[in-house]
């Protein structure tokens, strides 16, 4: 079966993520150890116990990546045809792991540092992101452009669902304007970093150095958030990954570009993209979040 592999981004984290894998798989336990050693952090405590770090971006990102990586490792021996890996925001780095571009320890280090770079960019300002439902892309783009505020389209999730990013105060000012334009819902997210907008410019060059250090020369196809096109080499990764911080995520465009190449999508470590996909494509998306859903997906693929 031809599969598109999907990997969720920040915001999909929760306490208890990966515990069923840990309890039932030696491979998962070994991967927890690798991750813990990579950044000297107890991932069992981070992911299984109530704590503040799980929502701090420098820890959220490696936790989500580890969860997705374990789901993929437990699945990958199932016979399937790897067409491409596609991640949403942070998920692009999980996709790179699945495509063979990163070793696990290096992937954990890379996204840990990415999170710290993003935090540092907002040391002296408060950013956020805001979901807008019920407006077309062009209207939201026009509102942002004409606002004279520091706000930008950040995630093109599906028709009628777009996320904008910027300075928190500016986003709050934009809320009544978007509602006046006909938005069905406008919701400010509980976060202090504005991803995928020019406010992260200072993090791009340091991230490029990390990509150069950790990413392998060649790998299986990964779809870029920035271009909505596939790439397979380190040289291409050096072009798209640093600017991924400052450019919008073209998720729905990516799905539409390549949905005809696959029989089905599988989401590793979440169900967020499955929900979004229902609004974009008629192709089925199945999630792997624990041992039971892993078995269900394997049984579906093997018929």
């Amino acid at each position: 079966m031809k599969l598109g592999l999907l990997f969720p981004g920040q915001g999909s984290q929760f306490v208890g993520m990966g515990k069923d894998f840990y309890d039932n798989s030696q491979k998962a336990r070994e991967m927890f150890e690798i991750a813990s050693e990579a950044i000297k952090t107890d991932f069992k405590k981070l992911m299984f116990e109530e704590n503040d770090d799980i929502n701090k971006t420098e820890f959220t990102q490696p936790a989500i990546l580890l969860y997705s990586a374990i789901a993929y490792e437990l699945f990958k021996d199932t016979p399937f045809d790897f067409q491409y890996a596609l991640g949403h925001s942070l998920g692009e780095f999980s996709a790179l792991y699945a495509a063979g571009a990163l070793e696990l320890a290096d992937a954990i280090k890379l996204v840990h540092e990415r999170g710290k770079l993003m935090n540092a960019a907002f040391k002296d300002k408060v950013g956020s992101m805001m979901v807008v439902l019920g407006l077309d892309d062009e209207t939201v783009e026009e509102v942002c452009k004409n606002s004279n505020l520091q706000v930008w389209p950040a995630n093109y999730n599906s028709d009628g669902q777009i996320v904008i990013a910027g300075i928190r105060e500016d986003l709050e000012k934009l809320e009544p304007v978007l509602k006046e334009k006909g938005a069905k819902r406008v919701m400010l997210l509980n976060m202090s970093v504005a991803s995928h907008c020019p406010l992260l410019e200072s993090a791009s060059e340091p991230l490029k150095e990390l990509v150069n250090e950790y990413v392998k020369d060649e790998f299986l196809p990964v779809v870029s958030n920035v271009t909505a096109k596939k790439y397979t080499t380190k040289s291409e990764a050096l072009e798209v990954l640093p600017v991924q911080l400052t450019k919008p995520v073209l998720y729905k465009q990516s799905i539409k570009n390549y949905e005809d190449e696959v029989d089905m999508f599988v989401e590793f470590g979440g169900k967020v993209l499955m929900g979004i996909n229902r609004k974009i494509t008629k192709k089925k998306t199945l999630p792997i979040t624990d041992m039971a859903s892993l078995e269900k997906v394997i049984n579906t693929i093997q018929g």
Side-chain angles (χ1 to χ4, degrees), residues 81 86 133 158-159 163 186 192 203 247-248 257 282 284 292:
D81 192 347
L86 167 60
L133 301 179
S158 64
D159 290 342
V163 178
V186 180
S192 58
K247 301 290 185 182
N257 280 351
K282 293 181 179 179
K284 181 184 291 186

Side-chain angles (χ1 to χ4, degrees), residues 84-87 92 156 222-231 240 244 247-259 261:
Y84 53 84
L86 167 60
E92 187 165 347
Y156 291 86
V222 173
V223 182
S224 164
N225 285 178
V226 173
T227 65
K229 302 293 183 184
K230 295 177 185 176
Y231 64 104
V240 298
Q244 190 230 38
K247 301 290 185 182
V249 173
L250 304 182
Y251 182 76
K252 70 174 181 181
Q253 295 90 334
S254 298
I255 293 292
K256 289 176 180 179
N257 280 351
Y258 297 113
E259 64 180 334
E261 294 185 7

Side-chain angles (χ1 to χ4, degrees), residues 43-60:
F43 272 76
K44 285 189 294 178
K45 186 175 180 180
L46 175 66
M47 295 168 67
F48 302 160
E49 299 177 18
E50 291 291 342
N51 65 93
D52 294 331
D53 285 347
I54 189 65
N55 292 315
K56 294 177 181 176
T57 188
E58 68 266 36
F59 296 108
T60 307

